[in-house]
Amino acid sequence: MTAKETIASATNGETHAAPSSPAARAALDFGKAWTYAPAPEAADHVRIDPRYELFIGGKWVAPSSGKYFETVSPSTEQKLAEVAEANERDVDLAVKAARVAYEKYWSKLSGIERGKYVYRIARVIQEKARELAIVETMDGGKPIKESRDVDLPLVAAHFFYYAGWADKLAYAFPGRSPRPLGVAGQVIPWNFPLLMAAWKLAPALAAGNTCVLKPAETTPLTALLLAKIIEECDLPPGVVNIVTGAGATGAALVAHPDVDKVAFTGSTDVGKRIQKALSGTKKKLTLELGGKAANIVFADAPLDQAVEGIISGIFFNQGHVCCAGSRLLVEEGAFEPLLQKLRDRMQTLRVGDPLDKNTDVGAINSKMQLDKIRELVEAGEREGASRFSTPCELPARGYWFAPTLFTGVSQSHRIAREEIFGPVLAVMTFRTPDEAIEKANNTMYGLSAGVWTDKGSKSFWVSQRLRAGVVWANTYNKFDPSSPFGGYKESGFGREGGRQGLLPYLEVD
């Protein structure tokens, strides 16, 4: 694609590639046939408090420093609430409350009684699912249909699943004697705030541990609503504590000497610092870090189905997914038809108000993340890759980036090596299965991958050779609480989900 084939968007000064020919442009000109009437999700019944305190020992506690920070909606840049900023003293109070709760209450309960509490949390989450989905969308920017149809069902499913394991730990590890560790310190990211809280809390509570949870500073609201649910479910005080704040709060929790287990989901750089800080201690650690997943499409694949998987793999949640299929490897024989289908499909994506039920791509989570995406996209253009961005009109306020793909990408380009964490796809080609595997594994990450082919034997053969913790075949981004999730190399270690997700929270002899 030449420079003459790009057009400038009327908004935000972004550059966009035009369809490849006048005939193609005419074929895609449906007038207003793809225009949907607004279908906003009503939010007038959702109550967000003007200020939130810390949830420590079953009570709402003001921060000892008296400091609060604002959480804003990335789609409007409007302030949603003020949230308490916890310091080392607050973290210490939370850990002490968790220790007392572990020794006085939680460790003395039978597995079946713990399971009842976890089950109760799941049921109340189901009852409040609409409210939680709306707040998740308002605070994080993801489309309401994703919060409503993906995040919340999975949140409830994880609590239900681990409620069932609470009285069956001896069956999970037959012939061994599983015991809880004690106090778990858990730090979660901003891309799936409530789901990540469920991934951390559900197995820890089922295994008999108490928890101190630190949500991301840009998306704390649903974790605080979860604290209200835990309060409503009458869990013993201190079993779950939630402290909000920025990186210093998380660092204080990780470094606290009375924390027995640390679970972190976030960037690889922070994960490395945590691992270094905990080396030489007796704390157990699991890390779920970054990714640069390869989505491999063979020429014999059903291309229309593959296009839908590619779209889901990279544009789901604006690309704010650690396992996003951000590298597309296409067999040369299928490159041209697949690329045309992919461009056509991208132009049907609706970018805009995340509370509109028709929206496909919502707002970027923060200005900082938007700046990072722009910087890496500019690097891709400087290094010679050809950019195609959907020519959509972006809202005037908020943080937005049009769905984008690059062709002419080499393995050395930054957009092929670094995690962009945005709606940006790097497309490359291959000639043989061996070349596809070599390119897919040529990354410091190893979290996930996808394989598209109509031959089952080929999908198994390729999957066995990919250094990725999760490999999807002829689908992408499918999750289930009974299936373990985690990575290799610099994508971290340990597993969350399934029976394997219990093990990091247990001492097993």
Side-chain angles (χ1 to χ4, degrees):
M1 183 173 294
T2 68
K4 293 181 181 179
E5 291 179 283
T6 62
I7 59 175
S9 168
T11 60
N12 290 359
E14 305 288 357
T15 58
H16 302 282
S20 56
S21 68
R25 285 196 294 270
L28 288 172
D29 186 5
F30 287 88
K32 295 184 178 181
W34 281 346
T35 301
Y36 284 70
E41 178 74 39
D44 53 359
H45 65 288
V46 175
R47 183 175 181 273
I48 297 177
D49 295 339
R51 173 174 284 187
Y52 288 91
E53 311 291 356
L54 308 171
F55 187 65
I56 298 175
K59 298 178 181 179
W60 294 95
V61 180
S64 57
S65 66
K67 293 182 179 180
Y68 295 81
F69 62 93
E70 293 183 356
T71 182
V72 302
S73 170
S75 62
T76 63
E77 300 181 59
Q78 293 180 343
K79 171 183 169 183
L80 295 173
E82 290 183 348
V83 180
E85 184 176 342
N87 59 18
E88 287 189 23
R89 182 179 176 186
D90 300 314
V91 170
D92 182 58
L93 289 174
V95 174
K96 286 179 178 177
R99 178 61 65 186
V100 169
Y102 174 73
E103 294 177 351
K104 188 175 180 181
Y105 306 113
W106 206 241
S107 65
K108 298 184 185 302
L109 283 179
S110 65
I112 196 167
E113 292 302 318
R114 289 198 309 271
K116 288 178 182 179
Y117 280 111
V118 179
Y119 184 88
R120 192 179 303 169
I121 293 170
R123 288 291 293 119
V124 177
I125 286 171
Q126 282 187 322
E127 292 169 5
K128 299 180 182 292
R130 185 181 177 195
E131 174 189 358
L132 291 168
I134 291 170
V135 175
E136 192 82 317
T137 288
M138 293 173 68
D139 202 24
K142 66 176 61 183
I144 184 64
K145 64 183 180 183
E146 293 179 5
S147 300
R148 179 196 63 201
D149 299 340
V150 180
D151 291 31
L152 263 298
L154 280 173
V155 169
H158 271 82
F159 279 104
F160 277 128
Y161 177 78
Y162 282 108
W165 272 117
D167 64 336
K168 304 175 185 66
L169 299 179
Y171 296 95
F173 307 100
R176 305 170 79 178
S177 301
R179 304 183 309 278
L181 299 174
V183 176
Q186 302 168 319
V187 182
I188 59 174
W190 46 258
N191 56 337
F192 291 92
L194 194 56
L195 182 57
M196 291 299 100
W199 279 27
K200 299 289 188 287
L201 291 174
L205 296 176
N209 302 277
T210 55
C211 303
V212 181
L213 179 77
K214 206 291 284 185
E217 64 270 26
T218 61
T219 54
L221 292 185
T222 46
L224 294 166
L225 294 182
L226 179 60
K228 291 188 175 184
I229 289 173
I230 287 167
E231 194 176 24
E232 182 180 332
C233 292
D234 291 326
L235 265 72
V239 171
V240 175
N241 307 271
I242 297 181
V243 292
T244 48
T249 306
L253 178 58
V254 167
H256 197 286
D258 203 27
V259 168
D260 301 297
K261 152 76 182 171
V262 173
F264 173 77
T265 297
S267 72
T268 295
D269 288 342
V270 175
K272 287 179 178 179
R273 293 202 295 270
I274 291 174
Q275 187 174 15
K276 183 178 180 180
L278 298 189
S279 62
T281 71
K282 295 182 179 180
K283 296 179 184 178
K284 291 189 74 172
L285 174 65
T286 51
L287 298 173
E288 198 265 278
L289 308 176
K292 194 68 180 175
N295 219 349
I296 304 170
V297 180
F298 288 94
D300 60 6
L303 295 189
D304 289 331
Q305 181 182 339
V307 165
E308 293 305 312
I310 295 162
I311 293 289
S312 171
I314 186 58
F315 300 126
F316 175 67
N317 196 25
Q318 299 76 252
H320 299 333
V321 187
C322 52
C323 56
S326 54
R327 292 184 298 150
L328 177 61
L329 303 180
V330 186
E331 191 168 359
E332 284 187 357
F335 175 72
E336 289 297 337
L338 181 73
L339 185 62
Q340 187 60 56
K341 288 175 181 288
L342 184 56
R343 284 176 174 166
D344 291 349
R345 181 65 176 89
M346 285 173 63
Q347 293 182 75
T348 71
L349 296 175
R350 296 174 292 276
V351 182
D353 180 9
L355 280 174
D356 191 314
K357 292 185 278 289
N358 295 321
T359 296
D360 298 304
V361 180
I364 302 302
N365 181 264
S366 66
K367 187 178 186 303
M368 181 184 299
Q369 185 60 29
L370 178 59
D371 290 342
K372 177 186 175 184
I373 294 168
R374 285 175 171 165
E375 193 267 326
L376 283 168
V377 166
E378 289 168 4
E381 292 180 303
R382 284 196 307 270
E383 291 176 335
S386 298
R387 173 183 173 184
F388 170 82
S389 292
T390 55
C392 56
E393 192 170 324
L394 302 179
R397 288 184 62 83
Y399 314 124
W400 308 91
F401 200 88
T404 295
L405 67 78
F406 280 95
T407 54
V409 180
S410 74
Q411 293 279 83
S412 62
H413 286 172
R414 288 182 64 192
I415 55 173
R417 293 184 289 109
E418 299 182 29
E419 185 179 36
I420 301 173
F421 224 60
V424 181
L425 178 65
V427 185
M428 295 170 277
T429 60
F430 65 89
R431 293 182 177 178
T432 67
D434 287 332
E435 182 186 357
I437 292 166
E438 183 179 358
K439 285 185 172 181
N441 289 336
N442 185 21
T443 174
M444 65 182 183
Y445 299 109
L447 187 57
S448 61
V451 180
W452 298 84
T453 174
D454 71 350
K455 295 179 174 60
S457 58
K458 184 188 291 184
S459 65
F460 279 111
W461 187 88
V462 173
S463 298
Q464 291 168 353
R465 287 158 177 79
L466 293 174
R467 287 293 291 169
V470 178
V471 180
W472 288 286
N474 292 336
T475 187
Y476 207 90
N477 274 343
K478 300 297 182 185
F479 300 95
D480 188 276
S482 64
S483 178
F485 182 89
Y488 295 103
K489 299 188 284 187
E490 293 195 13
S491 289
F493 50 82
R495 294 294 180 266
E496 294 181 303
R499 180 180 62 87
Q500 294 85 345
L502 292 165
L503 192 57
Y505 294 98
L506 292 168
E507 195 73 50
V508 181
D509 295 332

